[in-house]
Amino acid sequence: MCLLVVASPNSTPKKKDLECASCNNPHGFGFAVITPTGIVTGRGMSSKKVIKQFLEVRKEFPASYAMFHARYATHGVKNEDNCHPFKVPYNTAKVAPDTYLAHNGILDIDIKAGDKRSDTRVFAEDTLPAMGGVAALDDEHVWAMVSKWSLGSKIVIFTLDPAAKDTCYIINENAGHWDNDGMWWSNSTYMQSTWSSTYLTKPSVRSLDAPIIYDSECGACGAIPFEDGNPYYCEMCYACFDCTGMYGDSCLCYTPERSKIGYTLGEKDWWNESNKYNGWAK
């Protein structure tokens, strides 16, 4: 999953949002801040230390773009070397201009056996330089190609390369969202849960003849939610509507209170308890 936030000039993410994002994406952290003399970066496995360092640097240099990344590992080992952002090397310059890349999603990268790098790291260190570096993205055809190839993912690149037209690039920007404070978020895993205790103790189950009220489908199986259905999980495949993680397994949105309805139960037991509440159990 991961969480990636870009702060526009003179804006800074709230500490509580960064902490929530780090709890939901706990496998490594990093940041980049553009300054007048270069791009300041930091990475580590301690969210507390990296968030503190990021906010200190951002306070000193608020006038340009900044990014923060919290990793949820899908490829590569869980260590500091695989924490975002990654430095993008330059093929021709003896002294490479500062260019850093971070990503949210999964990239279709061929990782050779024994290579412990993540898919994002391989893209930053091998693929993008082979394409001509970040300046290649200024070509509208290359931009369209990379956007289509990485559809479902979001990629952010900061650069001071004089050959590039911009300092900040967000590929598939529309797949994330801007808030009212000047922050672009790649997804909603920085938001605190809004689950109610009423629902947690009395889960509902879809009625087969209930009218459909949602336009969106389950992102995992394509099923359509129903009016009196579970508002948080798909009852066909148990995928979370927010993060698509599986109920009781890989969902990133749970809170400790959710154990009241089944994080200690198997899926079958949870389903049976739901049916008992709704009066459908035999």
Side-chain angles (χ1 to χ4, degrees), residues 200-203 233 238 246-250 256-277:
L200 287 168
T201 54
K202 297 180 179 180
Y233 295 99
Y238 298 100
M246 299 303 294
Y247 177 89
D249 181 14
S250 58
E257 287 78 12
R258 292 195 183 191
S259 62
K260 296 178 182 177
I261 62 162
Y263 268 92
T264 58
L265 300 175
E267 290 179 355
K268 182 177 180 181
D269 292 330
W270 171 78
W271 189 260
N272 288 337
E273 290 298 314
S274 300
N275 287 344
K276 288 179 183 178
Y277 169 71

Side-chain angles (χ1 to χ4, degrees), residues 83-100:
C83 291
H84 306 217
F86 300 101
K87 186 172 179 62
V88 179
Y90 202 66
N91 282 340
T92 58
K94 292 182 179 179
V95 179
D98 279 353
T99 300
Y100 288 88

